Amino acid sequence: MRIARFSLDGNVAFGVVEGDELDIIKGHPFAGVERSGQRIPLDKVRLLPPVLPNKVVAIGRNYAEHARELGNDVPDVPVTFFKPSTSVAGPGDPIAYPGFSSEVHYEAELAVVIGRMCKEVPRARVRDVVLGYTCANDVTARDVQRAENQWARAKGFDTSCPLGPWVETEVDPADLAVQCTVNGEQRQLGRTSEMVRSVEDLVVHITEAMTLLPGDVILTGTPAGVGPLHVGDEVAVTIEGIGTLTNKVIKRD
């Protein structure tokens, strides 16, 4: 099931994507999906970020080749950082190039969407707390990341976390193709089976320390091939079985 969040005539709602139509959901998907039977064409709505997370918990260096391409070793424990809710953008929304950076990179990632409040989740229960999966772009000011000990500004600026186009609830995350293109040219191509730590590993690790809430998002790391974005570029993240998230880079006002 593909669950989208959308805007129509100033109203925001969730719907189930079926072909080129949306079946509007009563309420929200975290209490179970109840279809209204009211269907609208997909091209008549504006797709929004599929969730508005309380927090985005991101994992760094979770693909060995990506760690190496930036001159890093694979860490002994997951490198964990946060992206604020204000960094989230939706499909088709612009990525605003921050004025404090001159080297902004794309990072295509599988995103895990949490479906219920959870803490200290045992491995056998991970699938029970996950609503589904979506595409993400962990946009990074690489020069700032190198210069500062903390990654908060480098990875947390406004529009640095595009998510979408919807949440896919029925895909198996174990071995999916993850691709990034810039202006139609392939820049990244990897598989989630190459992750050093699996979705299950990450949920267990994160919830040892903190409570995750419905709609929270985990970014699982990016494969090798990261590189620069420039004003005017169109960047697209495609994940097998989920869809494509496309955004254009603009100059920040």
Side-chain angles (χ1 to χ4, degrees), residues 5-7 45-53 85-97 137 139 157-165 229 232-237 244-251:
R5 181 171 163 268
F6 66 93
S7 173
V45 307
R46 177 191 171 200
L47 290 179
L48 302 173
V51 288
L52 286 179
S85 59
T86 48
S87 70
V88 172
D93 288 345
I95 297 169
Y97 203 111
N137 193 342
V139 183
F157 59 88
D158 293 354
T159 72
S160 67
C161 189
L163 298 172
L229 289 171
D233 284 346
E234 184 176 82
V235 55
V237 175
T244 299
L245 167 69
T246 303
N247 304 89
K248 191 166 184 177
V249 183
I250 65 168
K251 184 177 179 180

Side-chain angles (χ1 to χ4, degrees), residues 147-170:
E148 300 181 1
N149 290 330
Q150 297 288 335
W151 297 356
R153 292 204 317 147
K155 287 177 171 284
F157 59 88
D158 293 354
T159 72
S160 67
C161 189
L163 298 172
W166 40 63
V167 177
E168 172 59 66
T169 65
E170 297 175 8

Side-chain angles (χ1 to χ4, degrees), residues 106 180-187 228-236 246-249:
Y106 53 82
C180 179
T181 64
V182 178
N183 302 325
E185 179 184 339
Q186 183 175 288
R187 301 290 180 84
L229 289 171
H230 304 284
V231 172
D233 284 346
E234 184 176 82
V235 55
T246 303
N247 304 89
K248 191 166 184 177
V249 183

